[in-house]
Amino acid sequence: MSTSGSGSIEARFYSVEGGKVRCGLCPHSCLIPEGKRGICGVREHRKGKLYPLTYGLVSSIHPDPIEKKPLFHFLPGSTSISFGSVGCNLSCKHCQNYEISTAAPGRVGMTRIEPGDVVEYARSSGSKSVSWTYNEPIIWHEFTTAASKAAHDAGLKTVYVTNGFIQEAPLRELGGLIDAMNIDVKAFRETFYKSVCGGRLAPVLKACEVAHGLGIHIELTYLIIPGHNDSESELREFSTWVSDSLAKDVPVHFSAFHPDYKLTSAPRTPTGTLIKAYELAKAAGLDFVYLGNVPVGDKDDTFCPRCGSSVIRREGFFVTHADLKDGKCGKCGAGLNVVV
């Protein structure tokens, strides 16, 4: 464990404008006065320089099934050592980790680690990958990139569980450092992003396209909130965008909402709405569509799009059966966009 002070590493992706600094990490492009922090709450302007206050500071460390991210097509059945810090660059009213996403550095218990410690945590837990998750990893850029390099050097894979609200230059720096991403597409309307999340949709869609183009394995999660982002037209447009702008074999996870944080007025997602989303996505040509947070029979299993055989069966976050050969269907050899 390190005893060096946090906030002494200079941030990347910022410029000086007069007496302020302009952060270039996420699309907020915060113009930050001396002594203040950006919207994320963890990047501070000090005497003409920007500092990431959470470098090496973690709030949460836990080994998880990779399926919990959720990633169903990346090292299926394996364990991923998961790390979170504090802060976020969005302000989602339905945040399920608001205790840490809204916390400021020093306000919750934190453990200080070095990039090499990440490797030791992975080895001791028997993990095949390192996941940056629980809060938004984008705002932790300097540490996650350094620690991901250490992980790669040790033969580990790396994962971002992210809202995708990132500018293109820092995202491109993740190419070759981050192997997989689960990206939350929180709705397919700008009005939702503005009123519910304090952000914008367009940069998230662009990030999905750039990450896919970089060869990062991506899977998308769409949390369906009744009365907010659950219309058939919106779900159909989202699924068509995945098919047309990304690829038909990009896995999509539709998840059920439960009331939380500041969005307690919306009800839980009806199973019928999830089934409709599944049907619309399949009609749009998507090969791999999954339903989560509810018992839905075999709709969290992976079927071969060519021969229809059950290739991966799951119970909750655990794989109970896998018929894979080099990531392809064990029966007919069709590609499944699975990384093994």
Side-chain angles (χ1 to χ4, degrees), residues 28-282:
H28 287 308
S29 299
C30 294
L31 188 61
I32 309 171
E34 167 67 30
K36 301 298 183 181
R37 302 174 186 178
I39 287 173
C40 65
V42 301
R43 302 174 78 78
E44 185 174 273
H45 175 193
R46 299 181 197 156
K47 298 179 180 179
K49 293 184 177 181
L50 189 65
Y51 292 93
L53 302 182
T54 53
Y55 186 94
L57 290 179
V58 296
S59 65
S60 316
I61 307 172
H62 197 271
D64 291 322
I66 194 70
E67 285 77 16
K68 192 176 180 180
K69 300 299 120 192
L71 288 169
F72 280 12
H73 288 237
F74 186 77
L75 307 181
S78 69
T79 298
S80 185
I81 187 69
S82 300
F83 295 86
S85 189
V86 295
C88 190
N89 57 353
L90 294 182
S91 53
C92 299
K93 293 179 180 178
H94 55 294
C95 181
Q96 296 176 12
N97 287 329
Y98 64 88
E99 294 93 344
I100 60 173
S101 70
T102 62
R107 297 294 179 90
V108 296
M110 305 279 275
T111 300
R112 182 174 292 119
I113 62 174
E114 293 285 356
D117 296 325
V118 168
V119 175
E120 295 307 313
Y121 275 108
R123 286 174 173 162
S124 65
S125 64
S127 298
K128 290 186 177 181
S129 64
V130 173
S131 288
W132 309 109
T133 180
Y134 303 141
N135 77 308
E136 180 49 55
I138 285 169
I139 62 173
W140 210 13
H141 185 87
E142 293 76 14
F143 184 74
T144 63
T145 51
S148 291
K149 185 179 186 305
H152 272 187
D153 290 345
L156 298 162
K157 299 294 187 182
T158 56
V159 172
Y160 257 34
V161 180
T162 175
N163 60 34
F165 200 62
I166 186 172
Q167 292 202 33
E168 186 168 342
L171 174 55
R172 289 192 176 278
E173 191 170 85
L174 299 180
L177 284 175
I178 300 300
D179 300 295
M181 289 183 174
N182 183 287
I183 305 173
D184 280 334
V185 179
K186 298 176 182 293
F188 212 65
R189 296 285 185 270
E190 288 287 1
T191 51
F192 179 99
Y193 265 84
K194 181 178 180 180
S195 63
V196 177
C197 301
R200 290 179 285 127
L201 170 64
V204 177
L205 302 185
K206 177 66 174 178
C208 293
E209 294 168 5
V210 171
H212 188 253
L214 288 171
I216 297 171
H217 174 83
I218 66 169
E219 303 190 22
L220 307 182
T221 295
Y222 189 112
L223 182 71
I224 300 178
I225 306 176
H228 290 269
N229 64 357
D230 63 335
S231 71
E232 287 193 20
S233 61
E234 186 170 355
L235 295 169
R236 183 183 295 109
E237 289 168 28
F238 164 71
S239 298
T240 300
W241 169 79
V242 177
S243 178
D244 292 349
S245 298
L246 299 175
K248 296 180 186 298
D249 65 355
V250 169
V252 169
H253 304 259
F254 290 110
S255 294
F257 165 83
H258 66 265
D260 211 336
Y261 192 34
K262 296 180 179 179
L263 195 59
T264 57
S265 58
R268 292 176 179 267
T269 313
T271 300
T273 304
L274 291 164
I275 297 296
K276 175 56 68 174
Y278 181 94
E279 293 171 347
L280 290 169
K282 297 298 284 187

